[in-house]
Amino acid sequence: MATNKLTYTTIAALLATLLASCRGEDEAYGPDRAAGQHVAAQMWVALEHTTTRAATPAATRQTGSVAQADGTFRGLKRLTLIPFSLSTVPSTGETVGQDATRRADNLELGAIAPDGLYAGSGSHLYDNVSLTIGTNAFLLYAEATDDTGSDSADGAIVGSGLDGSTPDAISFRPKQICPDMTEAQTQADAMTTYLTQLAATTTATLTWADVSSGLLQGLYAELTQLTAGNSASLLAMMQSMYSRLLTASLAGEQDELRQQIVRNMKVGRKGDGWGDEQDADLSDMVFTATRDGRLFTLDWNDAYQGTTFADYPRCFSLPDGVAALQWDDQEKRFGAVATGTPNNVGNSALPLTDFVHPLPLCYRANTPISVSRSSKADRYNAADTWATIYGSYTDGHTVSRDTRSVALQHPAQYAVGRLDVLLKARAAIITDSHGLPVDMSRVALTGLIVTGQRSVDYTFTPDPDDTHTYSIYDSYDPTATDAITLATNVGKHSTDTDARLTHTLVLQTPADGQPVYIYFEFLNQTGHDISVSNGLVPDGCHFYLCGTVTPAAGEMVFEQDHVATITGTVSSLAGAYNILPPRQHAFGFDMQVAVSDWTDQGSAAPHPVYNW
């Protein structure tokens, strides 16, 4: 077994599988201290020593190192212990029940660096820890040290009730990306206003909507069929329309209308060679255009560069696909789909405020203790193993006035689950909805959305009384040197050493047989449009496929301390959408799912403490 990985035998992690406390040899307790008083002691936390910190790629927001998929211990940034004094300690199952009453205040232990451990036992010494006499069990919660300092990369979680008197007050939920969407709604409204006014273009003799044939009729149909409401798609649409309008040869009232449409697009012109139509004042323009012969290139005008209007909804760290548009032909106006109501076009049940960051690497334990009346400080060295140390705790299971060292009986485990995804195309070239070939090496995976996340209780199992669901958005950088395209894993399996998987930390889902939907986000880098189910995906814009994972009755999709490995194979882009697909179309590709215990890489033996 590699030396840089946490192991079950060392009960690593978070491990705080081991707590050892040592009272000074010359400390006097006085006569018969009653239960509820304290022992001033040292405390040890057992963790596996990691000699190296593997370099890991940064193509995904949650990298292999963040998800600890590479087996390298990241360290701990916080460790909370909640003490209890139970009248009866169960022999199996969860030790501390939801109605148990805490014994004393929480113990908040300091951070542990990735290299801050003794080699043999993987332990760390805390000085001056105050343990309450009568304590015989602990709840333990811990979180790995930040890898990047970003919620989107390291993950984020919101806990409550950790200071409550009983465990039933404790809950955890994912952290929302944008809990207040007021500004986003403002930007969506600004975009629909712009498009509605453009569609209403008219002259003294002709209204755009009344043109029944030719170029202008076709462009009007394209505009009013637009469903992708993100800024990138808007820019691409205006680029396409502008180029065709400027090069069109029309006459009479249609040419007058053509010119009015161009003016209403609010495109200012930069560069030489534009003749009398050169715009001197660009301050009121939404776009600016440059010209090279017959090639016209649009970009956001300086006044819009860097604004939320020009980067909606990515400026709010949300996927482009959540911004959908719908044309009301009776009212002759666009409406923005930004609230996630069940009637949304392309987005059946994903409110924007319920998009959340991936989960951080969390750990938990619910355990009785073993104690010793003698100090174990000399056992924590570079040589002794955890098995040797733990075997020496033989003086009962309750902290007393004579207790000098304490160990947790049960190992801490990952409180979250992990989703690994191997995504690939069936072949290096597949077809779009019009049967045209698409080069898969030019289609980058830029994110995934995982539905079905719920608040969890103190055991990190879904709270049956809180059925509100959240959707994780984990996004990837398509410019990274090891970015994943749909050609990356062609012909590969998830167990192949050269396969490139994504890793996302998730909360356990209920064992109710309900499906989890997974939306995959792609970036068109082909240099041309891709035809999908609901229209076109211009170069530089995103599109989506949706898959569903449905567990058997009584089973769950994601389980804490387990990894779910999904292999998705894309055979065609005909089922893709340029917005989030409706769930009834969650059959864009084939998915195979395998769930396994945490295991040491290369071994079939379960190691519930350390590696997926």
Side-chain angles (χ1 to χ4, degrees), residues 39 249 253 385:
V39 177
S249 296
E253 61 179 9
T385 65

Side-chain angles (χ1 to χ4, degrees), residues 265-521:
M265 290 176 70
K266 300 182 77 66
V267 180
R269 304 177 183 183
K270 288 184 177 180
D272 297 328
W274 291 79
D276 295 336
E277 296 184 12
Q278 178 75 30
D279 288 300
D281 183 6
L282 301 178
S283 60
D284 192 39
M285 298 294 107
V286 177
F287 305 99
T288 55
T290 55
R291 178 180 181 178
D292 182 7
R294 293 180 62 83
L295 177 64
F296 304 93
T297 302
L298 256 60
D299 200 355
W300 299 101
N301 188 26
D302 292 345
Y304 283 84
Q305 288 284 359
T307 66
T308 52
F309 188 89
D311 194 29
Y312 174 75
R314 294 208 164 260
C315 55
F316 301 105
S317 299
L318 294 172
D320 278 347
V322 303
L325 298 172
Q326 185 172 19
W327 173 253
D328 186 329
D329 195 51
Q330 184 174 355
E331 297 292 334
K332 302 300 181 186
R333 62 179 177 82
F334 279 96
V337 178
T339 57
T341 61
N343 294 325
N344 279 357
V345 175
N347 179 3
S348 59
L350 298 182
L352 301 192
T353 53
D354 288 342
F355 280 89
V356 296
H357 297 291
L359 276 298
L361 191 63
C362 299
Y363 305 79
R364 76 173 190 95
N366 186 344
T367 176
I369 61 176
S370 291
V371 303
S372 175
R373 289 192 293 269
S374 61
S375 170
K376 302 300 178 183
D378 61 334
R379 308 302 294 270
Y380 294 92
N381 51 55
D384 282 354
T385 65
W386 163 243
T388 300
I389 296 169
Y390 185 77
S392 65
Y393 286 82
T394 58
D395 296 324
H397 305 285
T398 302
V399 174
S400 70
R401 67 184 183 88
D402 295 324
T403 296
R404 299 172 68 186
S405 195
V406 177
L408 300 185
Q409 286 189 9
H410 301 328
Q413 67 178 38
Y414 287 127
V416 294
R418 198 180 87 209
L419 168 63
D420 283 2
V421 176
L422 176 80
L423 195 62
K424 59 184 177 180
R426 176 182 50 79
I429 295 177
I430 62 176
T431 56
D432 66 9
S433 64
H434 286 174
L436 299 175
V438 181
D439 182 356
M440 292 296 95
S441 68
R442 308 298 298 171
V443 175
L445 176 65
T446 58
L448 59 83
I449 297 166
V450 183
T451 70
Q453 294 288 283
R454 286 170 46 178
S455 294
V456 294
D457 64 13
Y458 78 106
T459 65
F460 269 77
T461 56
D463 183 350
D465 297 325
D466 187 352
T467 58
H468 188 90
T469 59
Y470 301 91
S471 298
I472 290 173
Y473 178 47
D474 192 12
S475 65
Y476 317 135
D477 181 3
T479 66
T481 55
D482 60 346
I484 298 174
T485 72
L486 277 176
T488 301
N489 293 313
V490 170
K492 298 176 184 177
H493 301 281
S494 61
T495 54
D496 292 345
T497 56
D498 60 344
R500 198 171 303 160
L501 281 70
T502 65
H503 310 288
T504 304
L505 299 180
V506 296
L507 288 172
Q508 181 169 306
T509 50
D512 57 6
Q514 291 299 307
V516 168
Y517 296 92
I518 302 178
Y519 298 83
F520 293 89
E521 179 183 71

